[in-house]
């Protein structure tokens, strides 16, 4: 049984290899003989880059910070900030080159564009400046690393987190980004991932889970949000910025960008309502935190699908993302007992997987000819989607584990019990959030 | 002189304050405290994870009054703080040896 | 006297009917024979849509949330969030179709574009994708419903608010949007409304007033802002987002958009100063809340005028909006005695009416040939503006009343007295904003 | 020795005068014979204007407000708000005209465009509407004045601040903007200043220092941030908005804008890390406030350089800005003993000067042919940069001093000691930030 | 009856509360206070500018108990609040003349 | 031993604290309270709607001192808390039966 399944998968792999249905190269092909800069596309990508950056700083930082306990707010925020800063430097240093320059056996890029060497001010990627494409991609790498922090908060040493960020970005994000977007083997498999459901959310979600298991539970492993108004601001900024994340992934200012934009808004709104009503039925109160959590679940789930599905698909994806994520962070987490502090796995991991698979179901060729899902007569797509997710899960889980083990050889990863009780703001940073 | 300390429900504060003023008291001090007694803390649920709030928010009223007023003040609080459900709170009476008004240096009952 | 006035109005109506001075169709006509997607216009409308969405979530939610009492913060915020989510779903389901597809006797659209049926990825509206036009309009519907909530807070049941949102959007917003923007009878009247002063602000302001009267007063019917820093954030986001609201209403990236942008900034700044100085003279202190309130009043008042008036008009509109709104929320409200909790009528209603009428005064044909006001020799415009406002007021007031009465048949609309005293955060949602 | 140096400088001055290496006029020249509106460029400038506005309201206001003491939050915020509002009005009234219309002996513009007279809806500045160019410039004037307030908080009377804003904008900002951007004598000198390092940051930094000296120390002259989460929000918004500040300064949607964008992100991230690690080594704790301060220092320093340097230059500028600003606000300030409350001089002044000079070192002609620095064989550029900075410093210092002395003739500038102790929120505005 | 007031370290609160409940107490009230004693306030550094925090955050526990329980409660607190470093806090015992439960009007030891 | 409770104006805290330390006290506890007396709450105006703040924010100082120091401490507070305007506050003196230092188990005057 199991063997047959694997065989089938290998068949697809071989088959898809030949189809070379690579989204990114197609985009390039579209340009015709004479690629020329389009100021409209460039304007949209400039602002999209700003929007995605804004998602991390301060969006995600506040979303996470508001959920932390009062004594751990600043540390939680600092983790997102420092991760984005580190990635900003390393992406320009070698990240972009290793992800997007050339291809070594489908596994990794080369060193040709180290420090953006040879990217001239008028080099183009499609109709936009290449330096802008590099910048846009940078913001994705930044948020992915920052996302993981939500699972580790209230116990990881700040120095350990910095080292983790460097290693994880280098050893996990860069290769996976290359596989999917840089011409690596996953892109050749034919997996559909419009804006990074797998590279960003499944990836971060799994790293979160593995790390949480290795780190162990907090002494007080419950959620006690110090300031839900920060969560509100954070979720609003995330929603706002996600228009750049998904809409910008069209790498053009056109109908596809608009469709991705509208789908994003729709799935997100529906997921928020779905979480709210599910919670209302089950725990008798519709919480604002539930609405905010549903927003994020919806945004995550529509990410791979945004430029492939129609509004009907978006609505179904929203409903499933909102309700299933609710169950994953309530029932599943408490049963399995890992301490994923801010539910990075429960929301980004789970909704990311849901979205990746449903993209294979709902991809509508009349929206985007590059994607044809189960409902439009292509059942294989679902299997390809599952395969891509599985490969990411296995690789990320393994590498995240190894990274933690390596760090542990050199330093303690967790703060001491007393530091944990006193709070990480004071022990790691010598600050406190509020002087009221 | 006595100090009357009453632990009461937050929502009752205004009513009690008004009644005490009617009853003739000239000043009082309140602070936010947390307590438990018969009424235990409640459970808050965030994303399905349960947090036990050990304590219930309450208001502590502190009033220093001449002995002659103690009975009246106690009665007023008893009446206005009452809801009949657990957590209504307590009144404690503590001896006070001296009271001084900073502004005028008056002492004793004149000071309060 | 009264009869003659009505007659005159009917004359205009007949006259204007023939002129068919419809802004939206003109825009289409502009495109010449071959409408083509313009990436610059599309980029500007993409970001404008994001900006208007950002106004509601989290902008308005924070503006309102900060003004609420400490025990009602989250409920106040949740009302804006849930309204926007509901509208997002229903707009795609039937709102867009009923507002913008076809026209049945000038009253309402048809069902042709239910669930965006037949809108292809390359369908255009002018020079931008139609799906983007639909998305942009969605954000307007979303904020209009959310705006109303400010008048009802601290006493309306969350479930009642949800039902109200569905009904009001369907029965009030959609028809009025059709009348003004979708080719309905008001658009044929020749009323000038650049970005929705009547559809959005007068509409919401009147619904706020009527609902506040029906709901009755809160037990503590005064303003006790729990956190003015949230109001600051909210007002900043509103200002920022309003550039998309007004600038985007040019539906193009051109000089008109720029003029609307600059007028928006100018009227808003002037209104903030006008409120501040008026308050300073009258109550002896210039409050930050006054500045923030003036900001909103100015933004509201310039909304219908932004793409019609010159800077001189903007300054006068700003001065009047800021100072008159101050009097409406202080003197008028306390005299008339309704409990419009966050002054939705006092600010959006009043400044909306001021702006609508003054557009008829200051519309400068050298800015936009479609609008010619009193000062430029067209006194009729003022009367048309007043008429359009009156029609909206009457219709909205009536329907809002009916909606409340219908809801009341099935459920209690207000929370119990004890729930009100305890606070809606804890009784409706089981949460509290701050765990300091 | 000194004389020779002055002579040399005069030589450059004469020489440069002839070169007329004026950035702004070149941009115009680029357009060729028939200037035409470009919708993509316009879209990018529309959003850039919104972004820069967002930097002040609420970005800077929150950044400063969070750092203030609990009893001075609202006053601190109100200072930024009111400054931006005043500038919005005056810029349209006469600021734009005096800065950008014509040129009287290299010193100041003329009155031709008072109240934007004669700017038609289709007037162009390069490829964008002139009214948009005016709006974009307005936002720069707004933030410059607001920046200064950080040094004066917790003691200056609100009314005095209002008068100061009017005078300083008129007598300092407008002339300096004309000198550098409006065709005045500094622009003819050949100084490189991509986005306003000198006009905005050095200018504001010096005014801050001089004003702080004149105002005298606060009774409690230490930093006691009431709410660091506001600082986090503020710094995030500043970073986000700065993409419009620097990226928009290309006045086009092209490769140069993209390069400026990426450089901004890079220098900022590096400076944040530089400050953090420096602090970690010296005071043993990496604070979040340090990271946020580094962010601002990096953004400031890259401002003049963003469209001239390559990524290598950006990294070095980031490192120096982050680490040197750290020393300036710790060691230098406490030694010299002025009370620059929120380190406007320490960060904007110092990092602004660093950035201005390093632009002369790292300007890479392959990024932007208009700039050639020391490293590319043009050592004179460094001296030109220093000269431009010095001229600005001297003029600003002098004028700021005079303005204060004049105001002092008519009113008290500082609040009374009791008002200072009680807090400016309550004494100036009659409000308090939080009602928890 | 006595009122026992203890000033303790924040992190010890939960432990003490649990131990007191085990020891049989039925109710208590806590509040956030700030203090100094042997343990002086610490210096906080913001952007290198030093702010002396004069006081250290502490928790004040207030318990009214019958005379018979005083010894036990004191012992329990002494044991659980102890860390051996400065700032462990103090216990004060104050006479109480009367206690009344608002809900039932019970008085004296029955009320606490 | 006595407990001296003083309700003072917030802005006076630092001055009083410094003077008390000069006067030889070794520890004290403060908390944020709200009160009213001669000085009534004030009216706050938000968008022209008036909110009566019933209470005025104050600081409560609690000091347990040996009998011998009571006079000196009271004098110090009287002097430093004085502004001459209403709301200067009050001082109350309450008997204390016992004091214990948690860290050392010392009792009585040695403990304070
Ligand atoms: N022995 C006590 N000492 C100090 N405070 C007490 C004591 N018992 C009760 N309290 C305070 O009184 C509040 C109400 O007491 P509780 O027992 O819940 O209500 P009830 O008296 O109505 O049964 C508690 O939350 C606590 O703050
Ligand atoms: N005499 C006093 N009166 C009131 N409170 C006191 C007194 N002495 C100490 N405290 C309180 O007890 C806390 C701990 O006292 P401290 O002297 O620092 O510790 P230790 O008793 O371990 O030496 C102080 O922070 C203060 O709140
Ligand atoms: N009888 C009292 N019991 C408790 N606290 C009191 C009493 N009278 C006054 N206070 C407290 O003292 C503070 C100052 O008192 P107030 O009468 O306003 O000033 P003054 O003593 O200068 O006339 C009040 O705000 C209140 O907190």
């Amino acid at each position: 049984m199991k063997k047959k399944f694997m065989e089938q998968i290998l068949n697809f792999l071989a088959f898809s290899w030949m189809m070379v249905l690579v989204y990114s190269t197609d985009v390039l092909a579209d340009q015709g003989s004479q690629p020329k800069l389009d100021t409209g596309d460039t304007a949209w990508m400039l602002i999209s880059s700003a929007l995605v950056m804004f998602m991390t700083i301060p969006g995600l930082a506040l979303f996470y910070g508001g959920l932390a306990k009062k004594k751990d707010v600043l540390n939680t925020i600092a983790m997102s900030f420092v991760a984005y800063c580190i990635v900003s430097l390393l992406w320009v240093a070698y990240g972009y080159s290793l992800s997007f320059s050339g291809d070594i056996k489908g596994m990794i890029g080369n060193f040709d564009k180290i420090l953006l060497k040879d990217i001239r001010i008028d080099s183009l990627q499609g109709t936009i400046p290449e330096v802008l494409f590099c910048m846009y991609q940078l913001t994705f790498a930044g948020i992915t690393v920052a996302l993981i922090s939500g699972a580790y908060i209230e116990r990881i040493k700040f120095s350990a987190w910095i080292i983790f960020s460097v290693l994880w970005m280098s050893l996990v994000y860069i290769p996976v980004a290359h596989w999917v977007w840089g011409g690596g083997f996953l892109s050749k498999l034919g997996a559909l991932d419009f804006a990074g459901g797998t590279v960003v959310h499944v990836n971060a979600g799994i790293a979160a889970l593995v790390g949480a298991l290795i780190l162990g539970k907090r002494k007080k492993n419950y959620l006690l949000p110090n300031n839900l108004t920060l969560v509100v601001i954070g979720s609003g900024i995330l929603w706002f910025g996600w228009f750049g994340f998904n809409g910008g992934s069209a790498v053009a200012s056109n109908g596809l960008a608009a469709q991705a934009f509208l789908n994003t808004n729709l799935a997100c709104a529906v997921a928020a309502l779905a979480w709210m009503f599910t919670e209302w039925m089950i725990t008798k109160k519709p919480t604002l935190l539930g609405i905010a959590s549903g927003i994020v679940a919806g945004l995550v789930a529509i990410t791979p699908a945004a430029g492939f599905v129609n509004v009907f698909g978006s609505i179904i994806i929203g409903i499933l993302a909102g309700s299933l994520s609710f169950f994953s962070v309530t029932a599943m987490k408490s049963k399995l007992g890992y301490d994923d502090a801010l539910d990075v796995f429960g929301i980004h991991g789970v909704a990311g997987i849901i979205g990746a698979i449903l993209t294979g179901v709902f991809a509508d060729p009349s929206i985007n000819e590059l994607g044809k899902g189960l409902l439009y007569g292509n059942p294989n797509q679902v299997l390809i989607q599952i395969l891509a997710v599985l490969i990411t899960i296995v690789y990320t889980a393994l590498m995240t584990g190894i990274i933690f083990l390596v760090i542990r050889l050199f330093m303690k990863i967790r703060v001491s019990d007393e530091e944990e009780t006193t709070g990480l703001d004071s022990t790691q940073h010598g600050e406190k959030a509020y002087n009221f | 002189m006595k100090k009357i300390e009453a632990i009461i429900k937050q929502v009752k504060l205004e009513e009690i304050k008004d009644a005490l003023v009617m009853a003739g008291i000239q000043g009082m001090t309140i602070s936010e405290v947390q307590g438990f007694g018969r009424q235990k803390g409640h459970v808050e649920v965030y994303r399905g994870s349960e947090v036990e709030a050990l304590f219930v928010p309450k208001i502590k009223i502190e009033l220093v009054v001449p002995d002659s007023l103690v009975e009246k003040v106690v009665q007023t609080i008893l009446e206005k703080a009452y809801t009949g459900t657990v957590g209504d709170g307590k009144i404690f009476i503590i001896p006070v040896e001296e009271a001084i008004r900073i502004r005028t240096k008056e002492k004793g009952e004149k000071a309060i």
Side-chain angles (χ1 to χ4, degrees), chain A residues 174-314:
Chain A
I174 290 176
V176 175
H178 179 75
W179 301 347
V180 177
W181 289 325
F185 76 96
L186 277 181
S187 67
K188 288 166 189 150
L189 186 67
L192 301 176
D193 188 353
F194 191 70
T198 310
V199 184
V200 176
H201 298 289
V202 176
N203 212 350
I206 298 298
L209 178 61
V210 172
L213 285 167
I214 296 177
L215 275 170
K217 292 192 184 189
R218 291 164 296 165
K219 290 157 74 80
K220 317 249 162 169
N221 62 337
Y222 47 73
L223 203 57
L224 185 61
N226 79 92
N227 190 344
L228 282 174
T229 69
L230 296 183
V231 177
V232 166
I233 303 176
S235 64
I237 292 178
L238 284 172
W239 192 337
F240 175 58
W242 224 290
F243 291 133
F245 196 97
N246 288 356
S249 288
V251 199
S253 172
N254 57 15
L256 186 61
Q259 183 73 42
F261 192 119
L262 184 134
N263 283 341
T264 301
N265 190 70
L266 183 57
C268 167
V270 169
L273 295 174
W275 186 304
M276 185 186 85
F277 284 118
T278 311
E279 191 177 36
W280 209 334
M281 279 173 355
I282 294 192
T283 64
K284 305 302 168 222
K285 299 262 186 200
T287 63
L288 180 57
L289 176 56
I291 296 175
S293 307
I295 284 173
V296 176
L299 291 167
V300 167
I302 197 65
T303 295
F308 290 114
V309 303
N310 54 33
V311 294
F312 175 73
S314 299

Side-chain angles (χ1 to χ4, degrees), chain B residues 7 35-39 58 85-90 92:
Chain B
I7 316 288
F36 81 91
R38 296 286 183 280
Q39 184 191 19
K58 299 275 169 190
T85 54
V86 280
D88 273 355
K90 304 248 152 73
F92 303 121

Side-chain angles (χ1 to χ4, degrees), chain B residues 52-63:
Chain B
E52 217 196 319
L54 300 169
F55 296 94
V56 187
K58 299 275 169 190
I59 296 288
K60 175 161 88 171
I61 299 182
E62 289 171 277
L63 281 149

